[in-house]
């Protein structure tokens, strides 16, 4: 299990944070996701054997947000 903190862009209210958490936690291999609207960060804990960081980033992008590199 690894833990990563991603920096996000495109959030405009705190529901966006809940939406991102829901959409990541539905993914196989993601143990938990915690998006902080005020800080625009997403702390995600995942099993790298089941899901890659790229998969997580594209899920966030598909939901309409972007991940800052
Ligand atoms: Cu929102």
């Amino acid at each position: 299990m690894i833990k990563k903190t991603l920096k996000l862009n495109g959030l405009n209210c705190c529901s966006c944070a809940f939406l991102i958490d829901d959409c990541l936690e539905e993914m196989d291999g993601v143990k938990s996701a915690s998006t902080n609207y005020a800080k625009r960060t997403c702390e995600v804990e995942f099993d790298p054997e089941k899901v890659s960081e790229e998969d997580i980033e594209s899920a966030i992008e598909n939901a309409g947000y972007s991940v800052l590199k």
Side-chain angles (χ1 to χ4, degrees), residues 54 56-69:
E54 287 73 30
I56 291 169
E57 288 179 6
S58 40
I60 293 172
E61 280 159 9
N62 289 339
Y65 306 97
S66 52
V67 180
L68 301 180
K69 303 285 164 98

Side-chain angles (χ1 to χ4, degrees), residues 20-39:
I20 292 169
D21 289 347
D22 279 350
C23 123
L24 294 182
E25 284 173 352
E26 274 175 8
M27 295 173 76
D28 193 32
V30 175
K31 190 184 170 212
S32 70
S34 172
T35 304
N36 184 306
Y37 167 62
K39 292 183 182 166

